[in-house]
Amino acid sequence: KGTRRGASPAQCRERSSGLNAMAARAAAAIDDIDAAFDGALGLEEHFLAAGYAEGTVRGAASGQDDGRRLGCDRGRELGRELGRFRGRIDMLNALVAAGPAPRHLPERISRLLNEAAATIPTEPPAPQDEAAFEAIAELRAKMRMLDAWLGGSRLPAVEPDLSF
C-alpha cells in the first residue's frame, strides 16, 4: 500500500500531474528569472544609449565653445598683427611724404611698400580661405624685407600659429 510499485493507475496519474505542475512552476520561475535578467540587460542598454546621446550633445556644445574661444583668440592675434603692419606701412608712407622733396625711396622698396599696403586684408579672412592665409604669409615676408631695409627686425622671432 502506498508504494509506487503497488500504486494504482489513478494514483500514478495524480502523482504525475502533481510532478507536471511542479515542473511547470519551476519552468515559470526560470522564465521569471530570465525575464528579470532580460529586463536588467534592457535597462543597461537603455542607460548606455541615453548616456551616449547625452554625451554626444554635451561634447558638441563643449567643442563649439572651445572652437569659439580658439577662434576669438586667433582672430585677435591676427587682427593685432595686421593692425601693426597697417600702422607701420602708413607711418613709412607718411615719413616719405613729409620728407624733403628730393627724398625718394629706392624703386624696389617703394614697390614692396605699395604691394604690402595692397595685400593687407580689409575684412577678416574666413578660416577655410587658404588663399587669404597664403596672402598673409606673403605679407609677413614683405614686412620682413622692409624691416631688413630699415636696418633690423621689428617682428617677433616666432610668428603666431594662426592655423585652425
Side-chain angles (χ1 to χ4, degrees), residues 70-114:
L70 176 66
C72 286
D73 291 345
R74 297 291 169 94
R76 188 173 20 256
E77 290 175 19
L78 181 60
R80 285 181 182 153
E81 182 182 24
L82 294 176
R84 277 195 323 267
F85 290 165
R86 170 60 67 191
R88 292 171 61 209
I89 290 170
D90 289 347
M91 181 216 38
L92 287 172
N93 282 330
L95 286 174
V96 169
R103 180 183 248 180
H104 294 288
L105 291 175
E107 177 62 32
R108 180 176 176 215
I109 299 303
S110 178
R111 182 177 44 83
L112 187 64
L113 193 58
N114 291 333

Side-chain angles (χ1 to χ4, degrees), residues 57-74:
V57 169
R58 287 188 181 187
S62 176
Q64 285 179 344
D65 290 344
D66 291 346
R68 187 175 297 117
R69 221 177 353 260
L70 176 66
C72 286
D73 291 345
R74 297 291 169 94

